[in-house]
Amino acid sequence: MPPRALPVTADKEPFDIDEAFRRLRQAVADLPKAAMFALRDRGYDSPFEQLVGSLISARTRDETTVAVCERLFAVARTPADMAALPEAELIRLLNGATFPEPKARDILALSHRIVAEHGGAVPDTLEELMAFHGVGPKIAALTMAVGFGMPAVAVDVHVHRITNRWGFVAAPTPERTMVALMATLPRHYWVEINERLVPFGKWICTGERPRCSTCLMLSMCRQVGVTTHR
Ligand code: SF4
């Protein structure tokens, strides 16, 4: 079907965040979960597993991330066990993920530091997590949210794109979107928003030509910046 221009219409319901989450849960119920939530559901929910898994997941497909993490965690699930792995062995275990060599170096380095500087326990602040090489705001927030169960908003490209399209925030970068969401999104949705919007963004509110015509959010979504859709 060729792309079509969006109709000019003001027939939108007020944006209700509770109703939005009800619709999101329904929309993604049968879609594959984002890697970190799929790992959590398989029991890999410790802060260390979430930290390492998030690092592995960067630019790696969700299915691959889950498979690689399951292989790796069968061998090493703690900082001490990970730190004891030879680098070549860790690179081999990361086979399939993108950039296995630098990721192996980052994982080994942070494992050694957690053992040496934090008594073997993953630190539980964004600042301390982001002090590890290779760990940015998204990985730190996922570790905080899924690993520690602490309120943190993990904003990736999907969360950034979709919340701006809704008109719920108006922010030019993922970092600014995270700040805006922490100011406006009720805390009990801080973890769930990433869980729902990653599959929603991969399959429905896609980067190019989102599936607006059949989207459950259409009556509320302002479709900011959407010029064509399916
Ligand atoms: S209506 Fe379109 S832009 Fe809005 S959330 Fe749905 S797919 Fe995305």
Side-chain angles (χ1 to χ4, degrees):
M1 190 191 301
R4 61 189 172 85
L6 286 170
V8 177
T9 174
D11 302 338
K12 295 288 186 182
E13 301 166 9
F15 193 92
D16 179 322
I17 194 66
D18 297 314
E19 178 59 21
F21 271 85
R22 272 192 289 276
R23 295 185 192 183
L24 282 175
R25 290 177 197 131
Q26 185 182 343
V28 303
D30 296 325
L31 297 178
K33 288 198 169 185
M36 303 322 301
F37 296 95
L39 285 168
R40 176 201 63 188
D41 293 350
R42 287 165 165 79
Y44 302 110
D45 57 356
S46 73
F48 184 68
E49 288 160 343
Q50 287 290 315
L51 175 61
V52 170
S54 302
L55 211 150
I56 291 170
S57 78
R59 298 179 189 274
T60 299
R61 295 172 64 87
D62 283 331
E63 316 81 81
T64 307
T65 297
V66 172
V68 168
C69 286
E70 289 193 303
R71 184 170 64 217
L72 174 61
F73 294 149
V75 176
R77 295 185 72 167
T78 66
D81 287 346
M82 197 70 75
L85 286 179
E87 186 174 319
E89 171 70 356
L90 183 50
I91 292 170
R92 188 190 66 75
L93 288 163
L94 295 182
N95 181 41
T98 56
F99 312 116
E101 291 86 1
K103 285 180 179 175
R105 283 195 294 274
D106 285 345
I107 292 168
L108 280 177
L110 67 82
S111 299
H112 281 291
R113 283 188 60 190
I114 290 169
V115 171
E117 299 171 19
H118 300 279
V122 176
D124 62 357
T125 67
L126 289 172
E127 292 72 23
E128 288 173 299
L129 289 167
M130 286 191 289
F132 295 131
H133 189 265
V135 177
K138 186 188 121 186
I139 293 175
L142 273 171
T143 303
M144 293 289 289
V146 188
F148 285 106
M150 292 182 177
V153 185
V155 175
D156 65 357
V157 289
H158 300 295
V159 176
H160 172 60
R161 180 179 68 251
I162 297 163
T163 53
N164 277 273
R165 281 180 174 170
W166 286 347
F168 189 68
V169 298
T173 63
E175 290 73 23
R176 298 274 289 277
T177 292
M178 181 171 80
V179 172
L181 286 173
M182 289 170 80
T184 53
L185 185 68
R187 278 199 166 218
H188 53 277
Y189 293 131
W190 281 18
V191 176
E192 188 179 355
I193 194 164
N194 186 281
E195 179 174 9
R196 304 300 175 203
L197 290 192
V198 171
F200 188 73
K202 286 174 73 175
W203 301 97
I204 299 169
C205 191
T206 47
E208 300 291 326
R209 296 183 61 216
R211 299 175 182 275
C212 297
S213 19
T214 52
C215 177
L216 295 178
M217 295 294 297
L218 181 59
S219 60
M220 285 199 298
C221 174
R222 270 51 188 169
Q223 296 169 286
V224 175
V226 176
T227 52
T228 59
H229 69 89
R230 290 173 277 178

